[in-house]
Amino acid sequence: MDVYAAISDPSRRAILDLLLEGDRAAHELLGAFRFSQPALSKHLRVLREHGLVSMRKRGREHLYHLEARQLREVSQWVAHYERFWNEKLDRLGNLLEDMP
Amino acid sequence: MDVYAAISDPSRRAILDLLLEGDRAAHELLGAFRFSQPALSKHLRVLREHGLVSMRKRGREHLYHLEARQLREVSQWVAHYERFWNEKLDRLGNLLEDMP
DNA sequence: GAGTTCAATAACCGTGTGGTTATGTATTCG
DNA sequence: CGAATACATAACCACACGGTTATTGAACTC
């Protein structure tokens, strides 16, 4: 499984979206979903194994933290297609070069 | 299956990448892969059903054409994470607003 | 120490995915 | 016309995926 497969599941994308707002313990994340605790644990394991999240323990809680850098590959891949719907992007590269 | 699942397969991403360079007949695409013709046909069907490619017939050839707009959803989703590896993006939104 | 909470793992299961071979259908070529 | 080419579909198969329940193991709480 690669990063694309890891984010192909809507539940896992939702987890990442939640972590976008800050670190969360597993039981906090669970409240956002209808499936069982082991199901969440499996999703978190997949995300961990792909470096999309990291975990540290605080007492009995497992705090999960977003590691967004692993999404860079996806971002770069899809960027090749962006000119098809955004004409402004043609000039964007140059602008970025000039920025301090 | 949603768009994310459609692009979760590396072969299908490779097909899209090939179509990035221009329209291709199915048998031309097939040359880039090791799997069988029906396997390619299935991948193309998935891509068609998600609007990621379109097809027109020319004689007995089926010409496939990239429909990149369907990737916009992916692009927008991953954009939420881009600030984690690109500080310049923070100021990017404002710049885009000012562009003609 | 006993019970409770938080989370991971094990074992299992139905379903979907990606591949195959075999077949069918147009279309072109000789 | 018959043969060959291009492609899709049907039928099948091994395997991975996402879910479940049951169990286990830490770590608080009383």
Side-chain angles (χ1 to χ4, degrees):
Chain A
M1 202 197 283
D2 61 2
V3 183
Y4 297 88
I7 65 166
S8 72
D9 183 88
S11 301
R12 284 197 289 267
R13 288 198 303 279
I15 292 172
L16 296 178
D17 289 343
L18 287 171
L19 294 180
L20 209 44
E21 300 166 12
D23 297 1
R24 293 283 184 276
H27 72 275
E28 292 176 313
L29 293 171
L30 186 58
F33 302 99
R34 299 187 174 192
F35 46 66
S36 63
Q37 176 267 320
L40 173 65
S41 199
K42 277 183 162 188
H43 282 308
L44 290 172
R45 181 188 175 93
V46 171
L47 292 174
R48 249 186 294 127
E49 287 174 348
H50 288 86
L52 286 163
V53 303
S54 58
M55 189 269 286
R56 72 178 191 282
K57 299 182 183 178
R58 187 183 60 184
R60 51 189 172 182
E61 291 183 321
H62 288 201
L63 294 182
Y64 280 87
H65 175 75
L66 177 66
E67 299 289 346
R69 278 188 169 274
Q70 294 302 317
L71 289 174
R72 192 171 187 177
E73 180 187 342
V74 179
S75 173
Q76 288 174 339
W77 178 76
V78 79
H80 295 145
Y81 297 85
E82 288 173 355
R83 61 183 172 88
F84 286 94
W85 62 81
N86 195 344
E87 315 87 20
K88 288 176 180 176
L89 284 172
D90 285 338
R91 279 176 285 170
L92 192 55
N94 304 327
L95 264 169
L96 279 176
E97 296 304 320
D98 299 339
M99 287 178 72
Chain B
M1 200 197 286
D2 60 1
V3 183
Y4 297 88
I7 65 166
S8 73
D9 184 88
S11 300
R12 285 196 289 268
R13 287 199 303 279
I15 292 172
L16 295 178
D17 288 344
L18 287 170
L19 294 180
L20 210 45
E21 300 165 13
D23 296 0
R24 293 283 185 274
H27 71 274
E28 293 176 311
L29 294 171
L30 186 58
F33 302 98
R34 300 190 173 186
F35 47 65
S36 63
Q37 176 266 320
L40 173 64
S41 198
K42 278 184 161 189
H43 282 308
L44 290 171
R45 180 188 175 92
V46 171
L47 292 174
R48 250 185 295 126
E49 287 174 348
H50 288 86
L52 286 162
V53 303
S54 58
M55 190 268 285
R56 72 179 191 282
K57 299 182 184 180
R58 186 182 61 184
R60 51 188 171 182
E61 290 183 323
H62 288 201
L63 293 181
Y64 280 87
H65 175 74
L66 177 65
E67 300 289 346
R69 277 187 169 274
Q70 295 302 317
L71 290 174
R72 192 172 187 178
E73 181 187 342
V74 179
S75 173
Q76 288 174 339
W77 178 77
V78 81
H80 295 145
Y81 297 85
E82 287 172 356
R83 63 184 172 90
F84 286 94
W85 62 82
N86 194 344
E87 313 88 18
K88 289 177 180 176
L89 284 173
D90 284 339
R91 280 176 284 172
L92 192 55
N94 304 327
L95 265 168
L96 280 175
E97 296 303 318
D98 299 339
M99 287 178 73

